[in-house]
Amino acid sequence: MLYHPKWSKAKKRLMSFVCESLHSRVDFQVINYRKAHDQLGRAVITVDKLEMLSMCTITAEREEYYRERNIRIQLDDFSNDNVFNNRAIQEQAQEQLKVESIYAQYDFFSALEEYFNSPIEVSLKSNDLLIKILCILDRRVGKRTLRKMEESISEQKTLVQVFYKLRCDAENIYWSE
């Protein structure tokens, strides 16, 4: 499943939302592996050309398989004939991956779609790590909103805190760690 609309258009739109102070430092890349069975690869968020988050489909699917297997071992459930049970196990495994910040390329595209189609006020309240990061980088999120976020940022995942610190530093906003 390749991303539609074209990644080049989506990237241009995404970059138009990145705040001026980070525009030259932050980049988003999509790398597709043509020889992979589904031609998916990974999506990457870089800062100063360093990978901050790599969302590799192969890694995510492998880890999902391991999580599903471990859940089946815990439940002592090795029958594949119950569709509802299989789906519940898969959803549980996917939730574990999100908790551990393991994402596939299609998770990035999904978050991007939601981010593009939601007002910034709604996106700011999202529990999705990827959408949170996009919001922190967003030019529509001003200094006042960033300061208000300081109270709750310590409750966020480390990666969200890293991007928050990056944005605050870029905007010359003092914040207590």
Side-chain angles (χ1 to χ4, degrees), residues 3 22 42 56:
Y3 183 70
L22 291 174
R42 58 192 192 111
C56 180

Side-chain angles (χ1 to χ4, degrees), residues 134-146:
L134 295 175
C135 286
I136 288 170
L137 299 172
D138 197 309
R139 64 179 162 71
R140 298 171 293 174
V141 175
K143 290 181 180 184
R144 193 176 316 137
T145 305
L146 286 169

Side-chain angles (χ1 to χ4, degrees), residues 22-171:
L22 291 174
H23 202 271
S24 63
R25 297 180 61 196
V26 173
D27 195 18
F28 304 90
Q29 299 167 359
V30 169
I31 301 119
N32 289 317
Y33 303 128
R34 295 184 203 282
K35 295 189 180 195
H37 71 284
D38 54 7
Q39 293 191 337
L40 284 176
R42 58 192 192 111
V44 178
I45 301 176
T46 62
V47 176
D48 299 328
K49 297 190 175 20
L50 294 173
E51 281 188 16
M52 299 299 285
L53 180 60
S54 177
M55 297 155 276
C56 180
T57 304
I58 295 168
T59 301
E61 288 180 350
R62 181 187 65 229
E63 293 300 321
E64 182 179 330
Y65 168 78
Y66 291 143
R67 299 310 182 285
E68 284 183 28
R69 189 184 68 193
N70 290 341
I71 293 166
R72 287 187 188 284
I73 289 169
Q74 289 173 352
L75 297 175
D76 196 25
D77 176 11
F78 294 97
S79 65
N80 286 324
D81 55 352
N82 186 337
V83 175
F84 297 109
N85 205 23
N86 288 339
R87 185 68 191 138
I89 289 170
Q90 184 182 29
E91 286 173 3
Q92 191 176 347
Q94 289 171 346
E95 281 306 309
Q96 287 178 9
L97 294 180
K98 283 184 180 179
V99 167
E100 296 174 40
S101 303
I102 298 172
Y103 293 96
Q105 186 185 61
Y106 50 78
D107 294 321
F108 174 69
F109 293 147
S110 225
L112 201 57
E113 200 66 41
E114 187 177 331
Y115 172 73
F116 283 158
N117 293 318
S118 302
I120 192 67
E121 299 79 20
V122 172
S123 294
L124 278 166
K125 294 175 184 165
S126 174
N127 291 325
D128 188 302
L129 173 124
L130 300 174
I131 293 173
K132 278 255 192 265
I133 290 171
L134 295 175
C135 286
I136 288 170
L137 299 172
D138 197 309
R139 64 179 162 71
R140 298 171 293 174
V141 175
K143 290 181 180 184
R144 193 176 316 137
T145 305
L146 286 169
R147 285 188 187 104
K148 285 180 190 173
M149 289 173 73
E150 182 181 353
E151 299 167 17
S152 63
I153 207 74
S154 62
E155 300 164 11
Q156 298 293 326
K157 295 213 178 274
T158 305
L159 198 57
V160 173
Q161 293 176 22
V162 167
F163 278 95
Y164 179 77
K165 182 180 180 343
L166 174 75
R167 175 72 190 273
C168 287
D169 290 348
E171 299 285 350

